[in-house]
Amino acid sequence: HELDIPMSGITAVIGPNGAGKTTLLKLIHGLITPDQGRCHTPDVRSALVLHHTPLIRASVKTNLALVQDAFSDISSTDIDQALADVGLASFANRTGTLLSAGERQRLSLARALLQKPQLFLLDEPTANLDPSATDQVENIVKKMTGGVNSIVFTSHHLGQVQRLADRVIYLANGEVLEINSTQEFFTKPTSLSAQHFLARELGWK
């Protein structure tokens, strides 16, 4: 199956557990190579945000400054701006390992922003977060598409997909079964698997 992901807007990748959602993000990022077939990615910088980004026992700003090891053009001013962009400016001197789950996720997004990618890859960006933290992360994600940026994110939260995504990629058993606009997908899914998935997740009769 061929899959073309537009380099614009926000694309959600959804499907049952084990469908291959995280694997797809890792393929796009170049972290892994396909067992068969080819994965051709555009010549752009991408940033991948996975769960459980490790933190060291140092300040929030120091944790963020670790990105300078890979991107030497990042300045202290850039780091301060990234913290402000995710609402963590007042947390700069707080110990990173003491952050809440929502604050850690916002720090992960700041780390991605610092890399100045054209493509953000976010794996379940609000998993295990309370509603308030989820709202904060979603608002940051919406702002991240400014300019020429594109976002591809995985989610099991279909309400979130409807709020954020311009289009949906539906995966099952490692196969792309459907790619459609968000509105079309949620009103007229074309694949039988997607119809069953939505019926189960949304309680359709």
Side-chain angles (χ1 to χ4, degrees):
H1 290 271
E2 288 194 0
L3 171 63
D4 291 318
I5 299 176
M7 279 297 295
S8 63
I10 302 180
T11 301
V13 181
I14 67 173
N17 288 338
K21 300 185 290 294
T22 302
T23 299
L24 178 60
L25 294 191
K26 290 179 178 178
L27 281 168
I28 295 170
H29 190 56
L31 204 60
I32 58 176
T33 55
D35 293 331
Q36 55 186 5
R38 290 184 302 163
C39 181
H40 175 72
T41 54
D43 187 23
V44 299
R45 181 183 288 182
S46 62
L48 176 62
V49 179
L50 296 169
H51 289 320
H52 313 305
T53 303
L55 298 176
I56 61 172
R57 189 179 288 277
S59 72
V60 166
K61 185 168 181 176
T62 299
N63 270 278
L64 200 50
L66 294 174
V67 178
Q68 291 174 310
D69 292 343
F71 302 96
S72 58
D73 58 335
I74 293 172
S75 68
S76 180
T77 303
D78 293 331
I79 292 168
D80 289 336
Q81 184 60 53
L83 287 173
D85 288 342
V86 299
L88 290 178
S90 62
F91 290 68
N93 296 316
R94 188 172 298 188
T95 303
T97 50
L98 299 180
L99 294 181
S100 69
E103 290 158 358
R104 282 174 179 247
Q105 188 64 349
R106 285 191 278 152
L107 183 59
S108 294
L109 295 177
R111 189 175 284 157
L113 286 166
L114 268 180
Q115 297 171 42
K116 299 181 176 65
Q118 290 84 50
L119 177 61
F120 293 95
L121 304 166
L122 313 177
D123 188 32
E124 297 277 6
T126 62
N128 305 317
L129 299 187
D130 63 36
S132 174
T134 294
D135 286 345
Q136 290 174 323
V137 169
E138 285 188 5
N139 286 332
I140 294 166
V141 170
K142 289 175 190 172
K143 293 175 185 173
M144 287 164 70
T145 53
V148 295
N149 296 338
S150 178
I151 294 174
V152 179
F153 76 100
T154 66
S155 182
H156 65 277
H157 192 322
L158 298 187
Q160 177 176 79
V161 171
Q162 290 173 298
R163 287 191 295 275
L164 294 180
D166 301 304
R167 68 192 68 83
V168 170
I169 295 170
Y170 175 74
L171 291 180
N173 299 317
E175 286 190 66
V176 177
L177 297 184
E178 190 164 346
I179 179 167
N180 215 333
S181 72
T182 303
Q183 184 175 3
E184 286 288 315
F185 179 79
F186 280 97
T187 54
K188 292 179 288 189
T190 57
S191 69
L192 196 58
S193 177
Q195 292 167 17
H196 289 160
F197 176 77
L198 289 176
R200 184 170 64 251
E201 296 294 318
L202 299 176
W204 290 356
K205 300 297 183 186

